[in-house]
Amino acid sequence: MPDIVETATNAGSFKTLVTVIEAAGLLDLLQSPGPYTVLAPTDEAFAKIPTNTITSWLEDIPKLKKILTYHILFGEVLTENLLELSSAETVEGSVVGIDTSEGIKVNDAKVLTSDILADNGVIHIIDSVLLPAMVAGE
């Protein structure tokens, strides 16, 4: 079974995500045994963000790493686990909120497709890019 990065690359709808993961130097993490859970914004989700904002992230690798690791949870967190949680700690170190009142939302992002299994974890496709408080408040 392919790892998280190969799974995202093969899906074809995560070109921006894979590009920024490479730029941030996170390939090794997401190709390690894990397991990890990736909340993966689609290319459409990244398209909602102004190009100059993404460019500024690419010029500030520590910030880009913070944003991307905010999309990664420790362990394999499947839908059944999300339904039992109200929050989850991210690899970045802060917590995302989980709301299951109408489908599944992580912070303000809707989970579009869940439980895409990879060799070293699981991917949940989300419709928005999540921003940790430190970055969102800038």
Side-chain angles (χ1 to χ4, degrees), residues 24-90:
L26 292 172
L27 282 179
D28 287 349
L29 175 73
L30 293 177
Q31 291 174 325
S32 71
Y36 293 103
T37 297
V38 175
L39 304 164
T42 59
D43 289 336
E44 290 81 20
F46 276 103
K48 296 179 195 175
I49 295 173
T51 307
N52 60 337
T53 301
I54 293 176
T55 302
S56 76
W57 295 347
L58 289 166
E59 292 166 357
D60 184 349
I61 297 305
K63 179 193 275 186
L64 182 62
K65 258 191 179 149
K66 240 183 170 355
I67 293 166
L68 293 173
T69 54
Y70 191 64
H71 290 78
I72 305 169
L73 309 177
F74 291 103
E76 190 173 78
V77 183
L78 300 170
T79 300
E80 62 197 46
N81 308 116
L82 288 173
L83 292 172
E84 296 169 1
L85 297 171
S86 60
S87 64
E89 186 176 347
T90 68

